[in-house]
Amino acid sequence: MSNTSLLLWVLLFCTACPHAFGRGGTIDRAVLKDMEDSARPLKLTDCSPATLEAICQPKKFKECERQCKEALEEEEW
């Protein structure tokens, strides 16, 4: 492969999809959106035993259950 053809391939690769790979491109925005979604606090919708077992530590289960119920009551108002 000659230097000229290599240079053409590099130019083609670097300029072919700036909308996707560039700063503020579709991939950059998708990564940013994923990061924002994962940074949002989770919102409890119920305090069922299965939900509490999944999110609470076994040693603090009763305290966690009480906090969950209080949080849900506050949201209802």
Side-chain angles (χ1 to χ4, degrees):
M1 194 185 250
S2 70
N3 288 340
T4 307
S5 61
L6 181 63
L7 179 63
L8 287 174
W9 275 108
V10 169
L11 288 174
L12 179 65
F13 180 75
C14 292
T15 60
C17 298
H19 69 278
F21 296 104
R23 187 176 192 145
T26 53
I27 293 173
D28 193 37
R29 287 182 291 169
V31 169
L32 182 61
K33 184 177 182 315
D34 287 344
M35 288 173 43
E36 288 173 349
D37 289 345
S38 67
R40 286 191 194 125
L42 295 175
K43 189 174 184 180
L44 288 176
T45 56
D46 71 309
C47 295
S48 68
T51 302
L52 292 175
E53 286 177 14
I55 62 171
C56 298
Q57 296 177 357
K59 294 178 183 177
K60 299 182 179 183
F61 186 81
K62 290 293 182 185
E63 181 183 338
C64 184
E65 183 178 31
R66 180 185 55 79
Q67 290 175 350
C68 179
K69 289 180 179 178
E70 287 176 1
L72 285 179
E73 287 174 2
E74 288 177 8
E75 287 181 11
E76 289 177 3
W77 294 100

